[in-house]
Amino acid sequence: MRKYVIMGVQGSGKGTQAMMLANDLDLVHISVGDIFRWHVQNHTKLGAQVRRIMQTGQLVDDELVGSTVRRRLDDHDWNFGFIIDGFPRNAPQAEFFLESYDIDGVIHLDLPDEEVRRRVLARRLCSRCGMDYNLIAHRPKIEGRCDVCGGLLVSREDDTEHALEARLRDYYAKTDPVLDLFRRKEFVFTVDARPDKVTVQQEIRHHLDLPPYGT
Ligand SMILES: [Zn+2]
């Protein structure tokens, strides 16, 4: 059984890295973002709550994130383990998490702010079907148009320099104490998130003593 936590600022590719690891090792990928998106799309009670919070331009608070993750872990459908992404959000949650689960490794993806800015500000979204694009990594075939439905591509409302700056500040303020706590008690390693996704994955596997990706 393997239990990992993956941490990294937005744009660091942590979802992609978590998925590559999860698919290969049969781990359950517990992504807080995906869980909330699922609830919003399926119009659940939690989804309505999340939608209300986002409409006012706020972030989902730590409490709600914590209870959602706890509920997800309580499903116990993770026979081979899990990789958790987007949690813990603060030191008390990390403390609780460590008491409840034997974590085997904390993957910390490091990306300089400048690169975060470059990646995040290149994100686009189809205004019709919601498909995600990125002008660096995933360009549409026709500029400004969705490959799937031909809809107009737009930036997310909160992907502005200013909003990103605030999110980055918030991210480090919250994450640094969590990382410090993990460093004291657990096995944290930092991986440079700048190279391509396979290189990053290989580096992660090297640290976790896992066979290389694609073997
Ligand atoms: Zn579309």
Side-chain angles (χ1 to χ4, degrees), residues 29-193:
H29 176 205
I30 300 176
S31 156
V32 173
D34 286 351
I35 294 173
F36 285 147
R37 262 190 294 279
W38 186 91
H39 281 279
V40 170
Q41 274 160 7
N42 289 282
H43 303 282
T44 66
K45 226 168 131 185
L46 175 62
Q49 198 179 349
V50 170
R51 193 191 288 266
R52 262 198 312 277
I53 294 167
M54 290 191 317
Q55 272 167 351
T56 60
Q58 286 172 305
L59 291 172
V60 177
D61 67 81
D62 295 349
E63 216 45 57
L64 189 57
V65 170
S67 59
T68 303
V69 169
R70 276 196 288 278
R71 217 170 307 141
R72 181 65 191 80
L73 285 166
D74 285 344
D75 287 346
H76 285 283
D77 58 342
W78 31 278
N79 298 325
F80 298 100
F82 58 74
I83 178 158
I84 196 158
D85 151 4
F87 179 87
R89 288 284 193 94
N90 55 36
Q93 279 180 356
E95 200 92 59
F96 166 84
F97 191 50
L98 287 181
E99 280 164 18
S100 315
Y101 299 96
D102 238 335
I103 301 303
D104 297 297
V106 177
I107 305 157
H108 173 225
L109 294 177
D110 184 47
L111 195 68
D113 284 357
E114 205 162 306
E115 182 62 14
V116 174
R117 228 168 271 132
R118 193 177 81 93
R119 291 185 183 187
V120 169
L121 299 179
R123 296 200 293 204
R124 295 293 182 273
L125 178 75
C126 173
S127 55
R128 200 182 292 163
C129 74
M131 175 93 169
D132 285 312
Y133 291 85
N134 186 298
L135 303 184
I136 304 165
H138 177 202
R139 297 188 70 89
K141 288 194 190 73
I142 299 165
E143 204 183 309
R145 291 284 169 184
C146 176
D147 292 345
V148 179
C149 75
L152 201 63
L153 300 187
V154 296
S155 296
R156 289 172 190 277
E157 253 173 66
D158 55 352
D159 279 353
T160 62
E161 287 272 352
H162 186 70
L164 179 60
E165 214 57 63
R167 286 208 299 279
L168 281 174
R169 264 201 309 276
D170 184 62
Y171 171 81
Y172 289 115
K174 290 190 148 183
T175 311
D176 290 348
V178 173
L179 276 172
D180 286 343
L181 194 137
F182 277 147
R183 279 196 189 99
R184 281 201 302 275
K185 300 192 173 178
E186 292 289 324
F187 168 39
V188 180
F189 59 88
T190 298
V191 169
D192 182 359

